[in-house]
Amino acid sequence: MALTPAQRHKDRVASVGCVVCRRLGHGNVPAQLHHIAGGSSKRSPFALVGLCPEHHDAQRSGSGFHGMGTRTFCSIFSVPWLREEGLLVWVNEDLSRYAK
């Protein structure tokens, strides 16, 4: 059975790893997929970014996106536009450079 375009995109995003770790010089670190929320609207299957468990949902340590909250996370890691949507800039850069 052939993959849908959304499934292919999901696999490609996962293959490039955590966008934050890559910018910190850690290379391709396995990632969980984070959906860019864009408010309370329905999430697009193409608005995905790879974040490792530490940068995604490390709530106990407070170091993950969901632990810090959008504003703090984007500020600490200098995400483009200082907005969650800026993570899509990074994932698109990484897809163009590193995806198979």
Side-chain angles (χ1 to χ4, degrees):
M1 182 175 201
L3 295 176
T4 66
Q7 290 167 324
R8 279 195 306 274
H9 180 70
K10 182 179 177 179
D11 290 348
R12 289 183 72 228
V13 170
S15 78
V16 298
C18 178
V19 296
V20 175
C21 285
R22 190 174 293 281
R23 277 148 189 84
L24 294 174
H26 303 302
N28 187 346
V29 175
Q32 301 171 343
L33 295 177
H34 171 74
H35 283 89
I36 302 301
S40 61
S41 63
K42 185 176 178 186
R43 295 180 173 123
S44 167
F46 296 97
L48 297 171
V49 62
L51 295 171
C52 69
E54 184 68 23
H55 290 125
H56 186 217
D57 59 7
Q59 292 183 5
R60 276 181 252 150
S61 67
S63 63
F65 182 89
H66 294 292
M68 287 184 198
T70 305
R71 220 176 262 167
T72 302
F73 183 90
C74 292
S75 178
I76 287 173
F77 294 110
S78 300
V79 173
W81 311 317
L82 299 178
R83 295 178 48 129
E84 182 180 14
E85 292 83 355
L87 292 167
L88 294 173
V89 172
W90 285 354
V91 79
N92 285 319
E93 288 173 357
D94 292 355
L95 286 172
S96 69
R97 291 183 188 145
Y98 308 109
K100 299 174 185 176

